[in-house]
């Protein structure tokens, strides 16, 4: 199942996305998408609605340096244990919403990532049981003010600006993400290409580590790290992140 969130003439709603690419329809879900969703009976053509970020998270937890090649390009060694940080939920935007470069930064980078969406409250989850707490997977861009990351020595400001967490286009609940391609394109040119099998810490290990620190709630989003090939974006460009089996998240870039 593909779960999304849309704005229609009747308001904002969670939906199930059905049909082949280019001819999708969306069916409105009553209340929320957790558990077994029920439907209102209303539906629209996907082309007639606006696709929003598929979830409003209470928190976005991110994994740093989770691909060895990315750690190397950042001039560091791969960490033995997951490195976690948090982006505020106010940084979340959906597909086609502009990423806004703040005037205080001279370099704003793309970081294409696989994202995990949590499906139920959980704490101290074993890696072997991680699938039981996952709603599904979506595509993310961990946008970063790279110059500020270097200056600050910690990452909150550099990762936390409004619009710095594009998510979408929807949540896929039945995809196996153990070994899928992740690709980032800037104006149609491939900048990042890797596979999730190259993550240093897989999804199960990540959930075990994070849930050992904090309670995870339904809708919380975990960004699993970016591969090598990060680089800057400038106003007027377009960045697109594709995760095999899920879809493509595309956003234009503008200056504030």
């Amino acid at each position: 199942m593909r779960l999304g969130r849309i704005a229609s003439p009747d308001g904002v709603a969670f939906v199930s996305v059905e049909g082949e690419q280019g001819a999708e329809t969306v069916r409105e879900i009553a209340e929320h998408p957790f558990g077994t969703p029920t439907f209102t009976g209303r539906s629209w053509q996907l082309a007639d609605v606006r696709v929003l970020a598929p979830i409003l998270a209470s928190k976005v937890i991110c994994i740093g340096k989770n691909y060895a090649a990315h750690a190397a390009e950042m001039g560091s060694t791969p960490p033995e244990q997951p490195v976690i940080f948090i982006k505020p939920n106010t940084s979340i935007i959906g597909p086609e919403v502009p990423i806004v470069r703040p005037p205080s930064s001279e370099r704003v980078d793309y970081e294409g990532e696989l994202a995990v969406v949590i499906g139920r409250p959980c704490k101290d989850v074993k890696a072997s049981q991680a699938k039981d707490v996952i709603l599904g997977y979506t595509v993310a861009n961990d946008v970063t003010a790279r110059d500020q990351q270097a200056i600050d020595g910690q990452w909150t400001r550099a990762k936390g600006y409004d619009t710095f967490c594009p998510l979408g286009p929807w949540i896929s609940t039945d995809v196996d993400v153990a070994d899928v391609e992740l690709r980032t394109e800037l104006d149609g040119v491939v900048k990042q290409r890797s596979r999730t099998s190259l993550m240093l810490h897989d999804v199960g290990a990540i959930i075990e580590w994070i849930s050992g620190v904090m309670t995870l709630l339904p809708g919380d989003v975990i960004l699993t790290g970016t591969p090598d090939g990060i680089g800057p974006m400038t106003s007027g460009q377009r960045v697109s992140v594709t995760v095999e089996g899920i879809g493509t998240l595309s956003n234009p870039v503008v200056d504030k």
Side-chain angles (χ1 to χ4, degrees):
M1 180 179 287
R2 291 178 293 172
L3 301 169
R5 191 167 147 269
I6 58 102
S8 76
D10 297 318
V12 174
F14 288 107
V15 294
S16 171
V17 182
E18 302 173 0
E20 299 297 323
Q21 184 175 357
E24 296 101 332
T25 60
V26 294
R27 289 202 296 154
E28 186 179 44
I29 294 172
E31 298 180 350
H32 59 73
F34 305 106
T36 302
T38 58
F39 297 92
T40 66
R42 295 195 295 185
S43 64
W44 301 270
Q45 294 295 311
L46 182 63
D48 295 333
V49 299
R50 183 160 60 95
V51 178
L52 307 175
I55 201 73
L56 292 176
S58 72
K59 54 186 175 290
V60 181
I61 311 101
C62 310
I63 305 297
K65 303 176 184 177
N66 200 27
Y67 289 79
H70 172 57
E73 76 176 347
M74 296 297 289
S76 60
T77 57
E80 293 184 8
Q81 298 174 329
V83 175
I84 62 176
F85 61 94
I86 288 181
K87 294 172 82 83
N89 58 10
T90 48
S91 66
I92 295 174
I93 57 173
E96 298 301 327
V97 177
I99 296 167
V100 180
R101 289 166 28 101
S104 59
S105 176
E106 296 183 357
R107 175 171 168 170
V108 174
D109 284 11
Y110 54 80
E111 292 190 11
E113 308 199 10
L114 168 73
V116 182
V117 182
I118 297 299
R120 65 177 179 84
C122 59
K123 182 72 167 70
D124 297 322
V125 179
K126 297 297 183 185
S128 59
Q129 299 173 321
K131 290 183 179 180
D132 297 338
V133 305
I134 296 172
L135 174 65
Y137 303 90
T138 190
V139 185
N141 189 345
D142 177 20
V143 180
T144 305
R146 192 69 64 199
D147 51 347
Q148 294 178 3
Q149 183 183 31
I151 292 168
D152 293 351
Q154 53 81 26
W155 304 348
T156 303
R157 178 170 68 131
K159 302 277 191 175
Y161 284 96
D162 291 355
T163 76
F164 271 27
C165 188
L167 293 176
W170 37 65
I171 300 165
S172 294
T173 63
D174 54 2
V175 61
D176 181 355
V177 298
D179 182 29
V180 294
E181 184 183 77
L182 190 160
R183 184 176 73 253
T184 303
E185 298 179 7
L186 189 65
D187 286 343
V189 178
V190 176
K191 298 293 186 179
Q192 293 181 290
R193 175 171 275 157
S194 189
R195 302 193 69 83
T196 55
S197 56
L198 296 177
M199 289 195 296
L200 298 172
H201 310 284
D202 65 16
V203 170
I206 289 169
I207 290 178
E208 179 173 316
W209 182 262
I210 294 174
S211 68
V213 177
M214 66 190 77
T215 298
L216 295 171
L217 300 176
D220 281 352
V221 175
I222 299 173
L223 273 55
T224 60
T226 196
D228 61 310
I230 60 169
M233 305 175 290
T234 59
S235 180
Q237 293 189 301
R238 173 175 289 271
V239 59
S240 300
V241 183
T242 301
V243 177
E244 181 184 0
I246 299 176
T248 298
L249 169 66
S250 187
N251 298 87
V253 182
V254 301
D255 286 336
K256 186 172 183 180

